[in-house]
Amino acid sequence: MKREEIEKAIEKGESVWVVTNEPEILDFKKINKRDIHLEDGQLEIDTYYGELSSDIYQFEELFKTKAEAEHYLHHANISRTETLPLLTWEEFLEEKEIEFTDINGVLTWLYIVENNTPNIQLENRYEKLKMWDLTEANFYKAYDECVKLFKGDV
């Protein structure tokens, strides 16, 4: 919520929703106005549990409705971790392919081309990128290229 919206809710004694582990309601009718402080993008409410302490909420954690708070709880800051598959030289000879998505989201393959002289080829869905003789040393060079593409170090 914006500061102005929070100030208005406090003034009118309305409720707002806050997201901690689950959406919770803050009812400003039940909170003494002198215990409420707004500063630096946060709402601070003085609480007395035997001694003075404060509950602090960032403005972006406050919502007008429970539905908005639940939406934030279940959909905010969704992240995905991607991992470049690791194959040893021996596994690569058996599998004959590594498939991954590069830093730009382009599907890419490192695979063994079986023809007169087997090779290792690196290509993405648009073009052939490089080719090496099929040797263990070249496999490690090719894998270095995969890491660069995966991380965006090209």
Side-chain angles (χ1 to χ4, degrees):
M1 290 180 71
K2 294 180 181 150
R3 181 185 183 101
E4 299 78 31
E5 294 171 311
I6 298 167
E7 287 173 341
K8 194 175 191 179
I10 293 167
E11 191 60 39
K12 291 184 172 185
E14 297 175 341
S15 299
V16 298
W17 288 86
V18 63
V19 175
T20 53
N21 293 332
E22 60 185 61
E24 296 176 25
I25 196 161
L26 291 177
D27 186 350
F28 290 121
K29 283 185 238 168
K30 297 180 179 179
I31 302 170
N32 191 321
K33 285 185 184 178
R34 71 171 200 267
D35 294 334
I36 301 171
H37 312 283
L38 296 172
E39 48 191 71
D40 299 327
Q42 62 187 26
L43 166 67
E44 185 175 332
I45 301 174
D46 293 336
T47 53
Y48 304 93
Y49 303 111
E51 59 184 67
L52 177 63
S53 64
S54 296
D55 291 331
I56 299 174
Y57 309 100
Q58 302 303 315
F59 289 172
E60 61 265 10
E61 297 172 328
L62 300 173
F63 302 91
K64 294 177 191 175
T65 66
K66 183 177 183 181
E68 288 175 348
E70 287 177 337
H71 176 64
Y72 176 85
L73 177 66
H74 299 296
H75 302 116
N77 304 316
I78 303 296
S79 62
R80 179 175 75 188
T81 302
E82 294 183 73
T83 305
L84 180 65
L86 175 66
L87 291 181
T88 64
W89 166 242
E90 291 80 14
E91 291 170 328
F92 182 65
L93 289 174
E94 284 179 31
E95 300 285 327
K96 300 192 182 335
E97 178 180 85
I98 298 170
E99 180 180 293
F100 64 96
T101 304
D102 73 13
I103 190 72
N104 299 312
V106 176
L107 191 57
T108 305
W109 299 270
L110 180 70
Y111 62 96
I112 297 175
V113 178
E114 300 279 358
N115 51 22
N116 293 343
T117 55
N119 294 308
I120 301 171
Q121 185 163 308
L122 178 62
E123 70 178 55
N124 62 32
R125 89 172 81 140
Y126 304 112
E127 63 186 321
K128 291 181 181 177
L129 301 170
K130 290 190 179 181
M131 188 178 277
W132 300 265
D133 292 334
L134 182 62
T135 66
E136 186 173 0
N138 284 342
F139 166 73
Y140 294 118
K141 288 178 189 174
Y143 205 87
D144 285 343
E145 291 295 316
C146 292
V147 170
K148 288 177 185 173
L149 288 167
F150 187 79
K151 293 169 104 180
D153 297 339
V154 214

